[in-house]
Amino acid sequence: MSANLFDVSGWTLGDLASHESLKTPESRKSKKIKNKIKIRKQINEKGPISKIDNTKVKPIKKSSFVQQKMLKNLSKGKFRWINEKLYTSSSSSALELFQKNPLMFDEYHQGFCSAVRSWPVNPVDIFINYLKGKPKEWVVADLGCGEGKIAHESPNKVLSFDLVAKNSMIIACDIAKLPIPNYLFDIAIFCLSLMGTNYVDFLKEAHRTLKPKGELKIAEVVSRFSDIDSFIEVLAEIGFQFVKKDNTNKMFVILDFVKSKPKIIKPNQILARLGFGTRVASETLGE
């Protein structure tokens, strides 16, 4: 028997000779061992064999895993870039940026939600639970609302504002210039949204649109503050009386204020004393 009768394109029997028996007990044993090794190799490389239909479970290809990891890293890098842009630009510049690139707002919020999802608790849920204990007729301002979760889940009347309207319940605007009359809101909320070099203007707008004795609630990442006591003092100068501070969470701090009469002070003095500058909160949020 000639070995080349069994030669197939792409493989060969090698030096198998016609005088060698293909069915000796020894060769069957050797073949059985080889089959076991082959099956084990298939299980390790291609996944377990189904007991029902003997089909192999296809594993995730290494190349696909690498591609997914690269896309994830690119997404994180894009989020960090947008995050830094928001903290180091004015709100008007940020508004212009998102108007020119609407998809960038979606990319930012996808990264934002991904980061906050890993936290033990989301501050927006704390605010929602707080509002459930307040009169339903109270009017709430959610300033820098993102996807407007507070409006969706709170029983109160909520007006949501952000640079881009993710849905019909959100008013797209620069929150430094709210299209709202004086003394409308009972509560104003900034939930991880005091971004921009002109954030003092956001706080002044909150003061203008709040009713007398109206409440201001702020949640910000811990790394945002260089001197939280100075920040509290500046809010007193804007016209907010400090009520309490909750820094029990390692990710963020919550500050509560009540609207009072502002002290007369020059804007440059506010910026000079403020312990809440243009720092990017990347240590906590940009991970």
Side-chain angles (χ1 to χ4, degrees):
M1 180 170 64
S2 174
N4 60 13
L5 294 175
F6 295 91
D7 288 348
V8 180
S9 178
W11 67 277
T12 179
L13 289 180
D15 59 355
L16 181 62
S18 60
H19 65 272
E20 292 179 292
S21 173
L22 298 178
K23 295 184 179 181
T24 60
E26 184 178 355
S27 65
R28 286 199 300 270
K29 183 178 180 181
S30 177
K31 187 176 180 181
K32 189 175 181 180
I33 292 172
K34 288 181 180 178
N35 285 338
K36 285 184 177 180
I37 294 173
K38 186 177 180 181
I39 291 171
R40 287 173 182 167
K41 188 176 180 181
Q42 289 175 342
I43 291 173
N44 291 334
E45 292 181 354
K46 298 183 180 181
I49 298 175
S50 170
K51 292 181 179 179
I52 298 175
D53 56 9
N54 290 328
T55 57
K56 299 175 182 66
V57 178
K58 293 184 178 179
I60 297 174
K61 292 182 179 180
K62 188 176 181 181
S63 59
S64 297
F65 175 77
V66 172
Q67 288 173 353
Q68 290 174 7
K69 189 174 182 180
M70 287 177 65
L71 288 172
K72 188 175 182 180
N73 288 337
L74 285 171
S75 179
K76 284 185 176 180
K78 189 68 174 290
F79 167 69
R80 289 192 182 98
W81 182 86
I82 300 172
N83 191 49
E84 182 173 358
K85 197 77 174 174
L86 292 175
Y87 277 103
T88 56
S89 304
S90 67
S91 56
S92 59
S93 297
L95 179 62
E96 184 179 357
L97 175 68
F98 287 138
Q99 285 177 338
K100 290 181 179 179
N101 306 277
L103 290 178
M104 192 176 288
F105 189 81
D106 293 330
E107 291 173 326
Y108 173 75
H109 273 282
Q110 287 173 5
F112 177 87
C113 293
S114 178
V116 176
R117 198 178 296 122
S118 63
W119 293 6
V121 62
N122 189 333
V124 74
D125 294 324
I126 295 176
F127 290 147
I128 290 170
N129 288 332
Y130 177 80
L131 291 173
K132 288 179 180 178
K134 295 298 179 180
K136 292 183 179 181
E137 63 272 14
W138 275 25
V139 183
V140 181
D142 185 5
L143 302 168
C145 64
E147 297 178 343
K149 186 178 181 181
I150 293 178
H152 282 286
E153 300 185 18
S154 170
N156 316 90
K157 297 178 181 179
V158 180
L159 293 184
S160 305
F161 304 88
D162 213 323
L163 296 170
V164 175
K166 291 284 290 180
N167 56 62
S168 59
M169 299 178 69
I170 298 172
I171 300 170
C173 71
D174 180 352
I175 59 174
K177 300 175 181 178
L178 294 173
I180 298 297
N182 297 342
Y183 317 125
L184 178 67
F185 300 117
D186 295 281
I187 301 178
I189 294 174
F190 290 97
C191 188
L192 308 176
S193 58
L194 281 178
M195 300 178 177
T197 54
N198 61 323
Y199 55 84
V200 172
D201 294 332
F202 308 167
L203 296 166
K204 288 180 177 179
E205 277 294 86
H207 188 275
R208 178 184 70 80
T209 55
L210 275 171
K211 296 176 182 178
K213 302 298 182 181
E215 299 180 18
L216 171 67
K217 301 184 79 66
I218 297 172
E220 268 300 336
V221 290
V222 173
S223 60
R224 185 79 162 110
F225 294 97
S226 59
D227 187 344
I228 198 166
D229 291 330
S230 294
F231 179 74
I232 292 171
E233 289 178 8
V234 169
L235 263 74
E237 292 162 357
I238 293 174
F240 289 106
Q241 180 183 346
F242 175 65
V243 177
K244 66 178 180 179
K245 172 178 65 177
D246 181 357
N247 57 357
T248 56
N249 192 289
K250 66 178 182 179
M251 298 295 185
F252 58 86
V253 59
I254 293 180
L255 301 171
D256 291 344
F257 300 86
V258 172
K259 179 177 178 177
S260 59
K261 292 183 179 180
K263 296 179 180 179
I264 298 175
I265 189 168
K266 296 180 180 179
N268 61 338
Q269 290 178 306
I270 292 178
L271 293 174
R273 293 184 54 188
L274 199 57
F276 183 80
T278 58
R279 303 173 60 195
V280 179
S282 56
E283 296 90 341
T284 302
L285 191 56
E287 289 295 333

